[in-house]
Structure formats: C-alpha cells, structure tokens
Amino acid sequence: MEYKIKVNVSEEDYKKFCYDHSFHKTGSVVLLILIVLLIAFITFSSFLAFRRTGKISEFFVLIIILLLYAFTFFVHWPRRISKFYKSDRSIQNEHELTLAESSITDASVRGSYTCTTEDFIKVFFGKSVIAVYIALHKAILIPRHCFSSKEEEAQVESFIKEHYVKAKK
C-alpha cells in the first residue's frame, strides 16, 4: 500500500511546526513557565523593595529585561523562523510525496529523492504538521491541511505509525 500526497508547506505551516516542535516536550513548557514566573517574581519583589528605598531606576532595569525577553519570543523568533523558511527554496515549492511501506519519495520541479526507513530518525505528530526526521535538523513535513478528509489523515497517520516509527530499544 502507498499514499500519494500533494504537499505545499506555507510559511505559516513552517512556523506552526517550529512552535509545536519546540514546545511538545513537557520540560520545555515547564522551563518557559518557570522563567516567566521567576522574572515576574523578581520584578514584583524588586519593585516593593526599591519603592521603599527610592531606587526605582533598578526596577526599570528589570522591566527592560522582561521586555527584551518578550521581544525575543514574540518578535525576533518569528522573524528568524521566517528567514529560515525563505532561505530553503525546496520547501517552498509544491511537491508530491509518495509514502510506501519502506520509503518516502519526494518529487518536485527541482528533482526527486527517496529516503528509506533506515534514514528515518524519528517521527513527530504535531497539531498542524506531521514530520518525518531524516537528519537532526531536517524533516519531511506533511501539513495536515494537505489531506482531503479527516479519514485520509487518520489512515496516513496510522500508516506512518505502523511503518516508520521505530521501536524504542
């Protein structure tokens, strides 16, 4: 059995994949929450301490640190992801994926290549994208909107789980 899927990865799909990938582990989310809470606690406690001593300028330094953190997360990171997407012309073109039991073939106007199951490092099932990793920082992306129906999406997902997910040793 094999599936043929027309794939067009948009910049928004790529951004969603990057966010899903970064925050799919519980440890990443917990660490992010702890950092935000720590900065908020230090800022609030410093404000109370500095207000009593009259050193309100030190409070503003902490506010600037919090704003820089927010800028990095909400402005710099999305720009950087957008830059990565625009630099990879192969992901921007529409291509056809053929999912077979022992390989994935990717064909586009730029050429085609085949990856066998031995090349697959891991498979990630995100909210908006399914990613089959063929290297540490390279994945074959299948946006979920490329499927014609929810049934097809479920069939392909179970096919990928059955044939591409390696058993943990």
Side-chain angles (χ1 to χ4, degrees), residues 25-150:
K25 293 182 180 173
T26 308
S28 300
V29 175
V30 169
L31 182 63
L32 179 66
I33 291 171
L34 286 176
I35 289 171
V36 169
L37 290 175
L38 180 66
I39 291 173
F41 174 74
I42 290 171
T43 303
F44 182 70
S45 62
S46 298
F47 175 72
L48 293 177
F50 296 144
R51 193 174 65 170
R52 290 189 196 123
T53 62
K55 295 183 180 180
I56 205 78
S57 62
E58 293 177 16
F59 167 72
F60 287 113
V61 170
L62 291 171
I63 291 293
I64 289 171
I65 291 171
L66 183 63
L67 289 174
L68 284 173
Y69 182 76
F71 174 79
T72 300
F73 188 74
F74 294 109
V75 177
H76 177 69
W77 202 33
R79 283 184 186 169
R80 189 174 170 136
I81 292 170
S82 180
K83 187 177 179 181
F84 287 150
Y85 175 79
K86 289 175 182 171
S87 72
D88 189 355
R89 292 185 44 105
S90 64
I91 200 170
Q92 297 172 24
N93 296 330
E94 183 176 297
H95 47 273
E96 183 178 81
L97 293 177
T98 304
L99 284 69
E101 291 180 4
S102 61
S103 66
I104 294 178
T105 302
D106 187 349
S108 71
V109 295
R110 306 189 101 203
S112 66
Y113 65 91
T114 300
C115 296
T116 62
T117 53
E118 289 106 30
D119 299 328
F120 303 158
I121 295 173
K122 69 177 181 175
V123 179
F124 171 71
F125 297 96
K127 294 176 188 172
S128 59
V129 174
I130 299 171
V132 179
Y133 284 85
I134 56 176
L136 188 59
H137 293 287
K138 180 73 173 166
I140 298 170
L141 301 179
I142 308 170
R144 292 187 182 269
H145 64 76
C146 292
F147 299 109
S148 58
S149 65
K150 289 287 183 189

Side-chain angles (χ1 to χ4, degrees), residues 1 3 100-103 117 120 123 157-166:
M1 171 168 267
Y3 292 95
E101 291 180 4
S102 61
S103 66
T117 53
F120 303 158
V123 179
E157 190 169 331
S158 65
F159 177 83
I160 289 172
K161 286 178 183 175
E162 181 181 337
H163 296 287
Y164 300 161
V165 176
K166 295 178 182 176

